[in-house]
Amino acid sequence: MKDRVYFGTNTKMYQTAAQTVEYLRCLEKRTRDLADGIAQRFVIPSYTALYPARRQLDRMGSQILLGAQNMGWEEQGEYTGEISPLMLAEAGARLVMIGHSERRHTFHETDAQAEKKVRCALDHGFRVLLCVGEQAQERQYGVGAEVLRMQLKIGLHQVRAEETDRIWVGYEPVWAIGVGGVPAPAEYVEEKHRMMRETLMELFGQAGARIPLLYGGSVHLDNAGALIRCDAVDGLFVGRSAWDAARFDTIIRKALRAVL
């Protein structure tokens, strides 16, 4: 039995602030009974939704963790279009997602930039969700493991072992996410998660054994149970299947039944 199971979603550039507030209201109403159990819930909306989302969560006394989709690595400066850790903290974010595949491949962000963002986020008291994942061509050439190890080793290069209690890792194979994504088989996910666990322990010793490893990539009601039963999977990072609160609630409960 798992001690803690993580369930979250990133709404990308889809929900307005008003839609996010209503989504959180519905999600909290449906899943509030899970707050005292092993389930850790988190939602990562757009920047403009953070402040109203924080107010809504506080009004409800919710334990849903609120996250931001990205963050600059400086507190302020000439970085048009970026958002600073001070701004995110003021808006109410507690978690920062770094290195999402769309940031890496659409906006060409590098592992070295992810490293700076991770360090900055930790310095400002945030929990970090570092996303990693190989592309289809890298999988085809059999270098997926090397890609994941590199992303982990560079992204977490400045992290100290005593800080790992604020690090989560999200594995999202690029070929498995988004519209048209192909779900990864549970056996493949288990293999990659075990390899990442070995890498984390290589970096941080026993502290690396406690870093949560979440899987994301075409997670839905039909495969959630099989994925969460993987020994090396600590949680599910769900995409569009989670954007309806009722459906996300169903996915969470099905996954929990699979491990309880």
Side-chain angles (χ1 to χ4, degrees), residues 140-206:
Q140 178 184 347
Y141 286 132
V143 296
E146 289 90 332
V147 170
L148 297 177
R149 283 176 59 83
M150 181 173 67
Q151 290 174 346
L152 288 173
K153 286 191 168 188
I154 297 176
L156 301 175
H157 181 69
Q158 296 188 54
V159 177
R160 298 181 292 271
E162 60 268 25
E163 297 174 310
T164 54
D165 61 342
R166 289 190 286 132
I167 296 291
W168 300 352
V169 172
Y171 170 50
E172 293 189 300
V174 180
W175 45 270
I177 65 175
V179 177
V182 180
E187 298 79 10
Y188 185 89
V189 173
E190 176 73 5
E191 174 192 332
K192 291 296 180 285
H193 274 236
R194 286 187 180 278
M195 181 277 300
M196 290 190 294
R197 178 67 68 204
E198 292 172 0
T199 303
L200 293 171
M201 293 183 70
E202 177 185 332
L203 292 173
F204 303 114
Q206 279 304 118

Side-chain angles (χ1 to χ4, degrees), residues 15-211:
Q15 292 184 358
T16 65
Q19 289 170 332
T20 299
V21 167
E22 178 60 16
Y23 171 75
L24 289 171
R25 187 191 67 78
C26 294
L27 184 63
E28 174 65 13
K29 181 179 179 180
R30 288 181 171 275
T31 63
R32 190 177 184 87
D33 62 302
L34 303 176
D36 295 327
I38 67 170
Q40 168 69 68
R41 301 159 296 158
F42 65 96
V43 174
I44 306 177
S46 61
Y47 298 138
T48 57
L50 285 172
Y51 181 66
R54 176 80 272 150
R55 293 182 64 189
Q56 177 67 23
L57 291 173
D58 289 347
R59 277 196 298 267
M60 297 186 297
S62 175
Q63 294 182 30
I64 294 174
L65 191 64
L66 185 65
Q69 296 180 6
N70 191 24
M71 187 196 73
W73 59 78
E74 296 286 354
E75 289 187 351
Q76 59 183 10
E78 298 173 349
Y79 300 100
T80 301
E82 279 291 347
I83 192 162
S84 84
L86 300 181
M87 297 169 185
L88 292 180
E90 183 180 52
R94 302 290 183 264
L95 167 75
V96 176
M97 177 171 64
I98 293 171
H100 188 276
S101 66
E102 289 157 10
R103 301 304 312 176
R104 293 178 185 271
H105 303 298
T106 304
F107 297 98
H108 310 293
E109 293 186 1
T110 66
D111 291 324
Q113 289 173 323
E115 175 195 9
K116 291 194 287 187
K117 292 180 181 187
V118 169
R119 183 65 262 162
C120 182
L122 292 174
D123 287 342
H124 286 83
F126 292 104
R127 191 174 300 275
V128 171
L129 172 59
L130 176 65
C131 295
V132 298
E134 80 281 12
Q135 298 186 74
Q137 188 177 45
E138 292 163 338
R139 179 192 184 197
Q140 178 184 347
Y141 286 132
V143 296
E146 289 90 332
V147 170
L148 297 177
R149 283 176 59 83
M150 181 173 67
Q151 290 174 346
L152 288 173
K153 286 191 168 188
I154 297 176
L156 301 175
H157 181 69
Q158 296 188 54
V159 177
R160 298 181 292 271
E162 60 268 25
E163 297 174 310
T164 54
D165 61 342
R166 289 190 286 132
I167 296 291
W168 300 352
V169 172
Y171 170 50
E172 293 189 300
V174 180
W175 45 270
I177 65 175
V179 177
V182 180
E187 298 79 10
Y188 185 89
V189 173
E190 176 73 5
E191 174 192 332
K192 291 296 180 285
H193 274 236
R194 286 187 180 278
M195 181 277 300
M196 290 190 294
R197 178 67 68 204
E198 292 172 0
T199 303
L200 293 171
M201 293 183 70
E202 177 185 332
L203 292 173
F204 303 114
Q206 279 304 118
R210 296 186 290 272
I211 295 175

